[in-house]
Amino acid sequence: MQATIFDIQRFSVHDGPGIRTTVFFKGCNLHCFWCHNPESIRSEKEVQFHPIKCIGCGKCFAVCPNQCHVMRDGERVFEREKCSACGKCTDLCYAEALTMAGKDYTPREVLDIVMMDKPFYKENGGMTCSGGEPMLQKDFLTELLRMAKEQGIHTAVDTAGNVPFSWYEQILPYTDLFLFDLKCMDDATHVKAVGVHNQLLKENIRRLSDAGAHIWVRIPVIPGINANMENMRETAELVRNLDGVELVELLAFHKLGGGKYESLGLDYQAKDIIPPAKEQIQEFCRPFKDVGKNVKC
Ligand code: SF4
Ligand code: SF4
Ligand code: SF4
């Protein structure tokens, strides 16, 4: 059994309680135009090209079986559409101008890396499976979570909620915490922003709470999409009666992932968005406090 993982981040402090090891699964069935990890969206492995790091050694030109690396009008060009992601050029690019997003792992290989961090977890740290959407590789995920629990490791799953509830039932016995993303309550805006309806997400978070799951809701605050009081009030109404929701986190939009779009040959559609002010985020906390929820921003 293998899964395609694009990163394993050690000593993470932003993906659940305590110090964590975050395993990033490749592939997502939402397409948020502001996504900070655009390399997570496609399920297939793909090459990232960072021209600024290229030292012009020419090795990739010689090794590529599909002649993806060419000179045109005196300029070095990567013809991405011909790339089969064989990894020959990324393996030998010493300058790391060419890198591969995605690598196959077995559950044991991932767990071996996670286990190296176990001494640092103390009482509340652990492993977080994120992405992308880790639920899309649910059988691997279930096995990894099961093995982690066997080792006494706290487990969290970061999900965008757009999968059948039966998939959550499969991982529930091995998942200590869900980090559940809620983007926006207005369905038409949701479709426009991420490409899918939000009814299934709302139903899944209700059913997870009813099933006794521990949940932290995460809301990325995106100007022009959900950065308004009406959306925050509606979200607060949704979580008001969900006993499983222990915390709501408001995550301000930022542009740190912007450069990755270019490396993947993609257009960064969020480039003109201005990050929300700190005071505005604090104001958005109010509706959640009003319904008795803990809020972090
Ligand atoms: S192998 Fe890397 S450093 Fe060498 S030419 Fe290709 S991209 Fe540039
Ligand atoms: S990954 Fe393989 S096919 Fe793609 S550019 Fe590199 S050598 Fe060519
Ligand atoms: S759900 Fe998360 S990983 Fe998927 S596209 Fe949206 S921001 Fe990116």
Side-chain angles (χ1 to χ4, degrees):
M1 188 188 279
Q2 288 191 319
T4 309
I5 307 288
F6 71 89
D7 197 9
I8 299 178
Q9 209 170 75
R10 302 175 66 188
F11 304 104
S12 165
V13 289
H14 301 292
D15 299 306
I19 293 172
R20 310 194 69 83
T21 311
T22 305
V23 182
F24 291 91
F25 287 62
K26 197 155 160 48
C28 188
N29 59 5
L30 266 56
H31 292 87
C32 311
F33 67 85
W34 62 84
C35 183
H36 301 142
N37 291 322
E39 74 276 39
S40 73
I41 297 178
R42 290 185 65 217
S43 53
E44 300 84 14
K45 291 174 209 163
E46 55 197 320
V47 170
Q48 289 182 269
F49 177 44
H50 315 271
I52 200 158
K53 293 186 178 174
C54 176
I55 53 170
C57 70
K59 287 183 181 169
C60 56
F61 287 72
V63 79
C64 179
N66 299 339
Q67 285 81 50
C68 296
H69 305 288
V70 292
M71 293 299 292
R72 194 178 300 135
D73 300 330
E75 211 179 303
R76 184 231 189 283
V77 178
F78 173 35
E79 296 187 339
R80 175 178 298 280
E81 60 290 350
K82 295 193 289 187
C83 176
S84 59
C86 71
K88 287 186 176 160
C89 66
T90 54
D91 283 352
L92 57 64
C93 181
Y94 170 76
E96 296 187 347
L98 292 162
T99 54
M100 186 63 75
K103 186 178 165 198
D104 292 333
Y105 287 84
T106 64
R108 169 54 56 192
E109 285 167 340
V110 175
L111 191 71
D112 284 348
I113 296 169
V114 171
M115 287 300 286
M116 286 194 266
D117 294 346
K118 196 180 173 201
F120 306 101
Y121 293 159
K122 300 197 177 132
E123 64 285 345
N124 60 351
M127 174 183 78
T128 298
C129 295
S130 184
E133 174 55 82
M135 297 300 297
L136 296 181
Q137 303 186 68
K138 67 178 188 321
D139 293 337
F140 178 102
L141 177 66
T142 308
E143 181 59 6
L144 177 60
L145 293 167
R146 190 193 63 73
M147 289 165 72
K149 287 315 302 169
E150 233 172 50
Q151 297 299 324
I153 292 172
H154 179 276
T155 57
V157 172
D158 181 9
T159 178
N162 189 41
V163 297
F165 187 71
S166 60
W167 296 14
Y168 290 114
E169 287 178 311
Q170 184 174 316
I171 64 162
L172 255 170
Y174 316 112
T175 307
D176 295 313
L177 177 69
F178 286 87
L179 307 176
F180 199 106
D181 302 350
L182 285 178
K183 267 81 180 186
C184 80
M185 292 295 105
D186 179 69
D187 190 47
T189 309
H190 198 271
V191 172
K192 195 175 104 192
V194 313
V196 301
H197 292 280
N198 63 13
Q199 197 184 340
L200 178 63
L201 286 61
K202 290 178 182 174
E203 195 173 316
N204 278 337
I205 194 168
R206 283 195 197 101
R207 293 182 72 179
L208 273 175
S209 176
D210 289 348
H214 298 268
I215 304 167
W216 288 10
V217 166
R218 308 224 286 185
I219 305 173
V221 180
I222 316 294
I225 301 297
N226 65 356
N228 60 74
M229 222 36 177
E230 192 186 339
N231 178 69
M232 298 305 164
R233 281 198 205 99
E234 277 186 47
T235 313
E237 277 311 309
L238 173 71
V239 302
R240 175 197 285 269
N241 296 317
L242 302 184
D243 293 339
V245 175
E246 298 167 352
L247 179 71
V248 176
E249 283 188 295
L250 299 182
L251 310 168
F253 165 78
H254 62 75
K255 296 188 185 175
L256 292 181
K260 296 184 189 176
Y261 281 81
E262 201 183 337
S263 75
L264 293 159
L266 300 171
D267 182 29
Y268 183 39
Q269 291 173 31
K271 62 178 173 297
D272 295 328
I273 292 184
I274 298 165
K278 200 173 162 190
E279 297 73 32
Q280 195 184 24
I281 300 278
Q282 275 159 359
E283 186 68 10
F284 290 154
C285 291
R286 207 159 29 85
F288 299 100
K289 287 180 184 161
D290 289 347
V291 298
K293 293 295 178 189
N294 295 318
V295 196
K296 193 171 143 193
C297 58

